[in-house]
Amino acid sequence: MKVLIAVKRVIDYNVKIRVKADNSGVDEANVKMSMNPFDEIAVEEAIRLKEAGTASELIVVSCGEAPASETIRTGLAMGADRGVLVETDAELQPLAVAKLLKAVAEKEGAEMIVLGKQAIDDDFNQTGQMLAALLGWPQGTFASKLDISEGSASVMREIDGGLETVSLKLPCVVTTDLRLNEPRYASLPNIMKAKKKPIDTTTPDELGVDVTPRLSTLKVSAPAERQAGIIVADVDELVNKLKNEAKVI
Ligand code: AMP
């Protein structure tokens, strides 16, 4: 079974992001970029499928500007076999990414596609669902456990107030939630080995996909600054302030 894993290059989750002065977006200049954390979980899960003998080949796909190949390389260093970069400078929205992933999946003959449940930059949480719809494949989103046997995938999903288990016929789309696994760190020998693993580059045009954005961003603004706290002398003062100043009790 060939497994495709979608990985997005995003601003590292440790970075305190800055909004551009003209409110047109987030400042990405000189900012550390990393693989979207949910996509690391997707790569880890796919590697476990290969280690268990369920998956035969793991292909890491990223869509975006040329440096997205570094993100692919991270997936290869973790243990995936090869990469596909869909290179474009265009702004990519979920529908466009879903169409690109569909084209790659069909070209590669993938039987399973694993994505993160959401990218931590735009927080769309849409790509996996759109991809499954475009392909007409069943989807198991927010996966916290995945088992494959006899042509079907059992996905335990994190839903409001509990867990739901669904059974999907392969081929299928799975999106990962936080508790699915703990991604491994790439070892130094594997980082060296990954340098020799192949990454094919293609473009939206070659795949016949129109990536024109459907949404336009009107404004991006930073959250309101939190006011500094104060230190009170004793419980009486605290109760007094809660009652008479904050008026919450
Ligand atoms: P989103 O719907 O944007 O929140 O993204 C959900 C998931 O889709 C991510 O966790 C990735 O697995 C995948 N994805 C989104 N954008 C890209 C991209 N540009 N390249 C590759 N995968 C992507």
Side-chain angles (χ1 to χ4, degrees):
M1 175 173 77
K2 269 195 194 179
V3 179
L4 220 68
I5 310 120
V7 300
K8 186 177 186 188
R9 183 173 184 263
V10 296
I11 294 183
D12 187 271
Y13 70 96
N14 286 306
V15 171
K16 190 169 186 305
I17 59 158
R18 292 182 310 266
V19 171
K20 285 186 190 160
D22 63 359
N23 292 105
S24 63
V26 166
D27 194 355
E28 291 188 7
N30 302 318
V31 168
K32 183 177 179 219
M33 307 292 284
S34 300
M35 185 187 293
N36 181 48
F38 292 107
D39 304 351
E40 288 183 353
I41 296 173
V43 175
E44 174 66 37
E45 197 62 21
I47 294 171
R48 291 184 189 190
L49 289 178
K50 189 165 179 205
E51 286 169 346
T54 313
S56 55
E57 189 179 28
L58 311 181
I59 307 162
V60 181
V61 188
S62 193
C63 313
E65 295 180 12
S69 63
E70 291 162 21
T71 312
I72 294 176
R73 203 60 80 186
T74 305
L76 300 181
M78 286 172 74
D81 298 300
R82 61 188 177 87
V84 175
L85 169 66
V86 184
E87 192 176 341
T88 173
D89 292 343
E91 178 199 340
L92 292 177
Q93 294 177 350
L95 183 58
V97 177
K99 287 179 181 172
L100 295 172
L101 294 174
K102 173 178 185 271
V104 175
E106 286 175 343
K107 204 169 152 204
E108 295 287 351
E111 277 179 90
M112 174 178 266
I113 309 173
V114 194
L115 305 88
K117 73 166 178 182
Q118 92 193 52
I120 60 164
D121 50 2
D122 294 322
D123 270 348
F124 276 123
N125 176 8
Q126 295 175 0
T127 309
Q129 294 88 329
M130 288 178 170
L131 175 61
L134 290 172
L135 284 163
W137 291 6
Q139 58 183 297
T141 51
F142 311 106
S144 66
K145 195 166 186 296
L146 171 66
D147 290 304
I148 313 270
S149 74
E150 290 165 19
S152 66
S154 162
V155 178
M156 189 191 278
R157 311 181 54 233
E158 302 214 6
I159 56 171
D160 277 353
L163 295 165
E164 176 189 47
T165 303
V166 292
S167 176
L168 321 170
K169 274 225 169 77
L170 296 178
C172 69
V173 172
V174 172
T175 75
T176 62
D177 214 323
L178 207 58
R179 275 165 282 268
L180 182 59
N181 61 49
E182 253 189 58
R184 70 196 62 192
Y185 288 105
S187 64
L188 191 58
N190 285 346
I191 293 173
M192 301 311 289
K193 266 192 229 156
K195 293 188 188 202
K196 296 211 182 88
K197 293 184 181 175
I199 300 181
D200 293 330
T201 301
T202 181
T203 61
D205 276 352
E206 279 174 15
L207 294 171
V209 174
D210 173 11
V211 295
T212 311
R214 306 295 176 98
L215 312 168
S216 54
T217 304
L218 302 181
K219 188 178 172 193
V220 176
S221 36
E225 289 272 324
R226 279 182 68 175
Q227 294 192 346
I230 53 163
I231 295 177
V232 292
D234 50 32
V235 173
D236 286 346
E237 189 186 345
L238 174 64
V239 171
N240 181 30
K241 283 194 181 298
L242 290 174
K243 225 183 219 165
N244 301 315
E245 284 180 24
K247 297 194 193 318
V248 290
I249 55 173

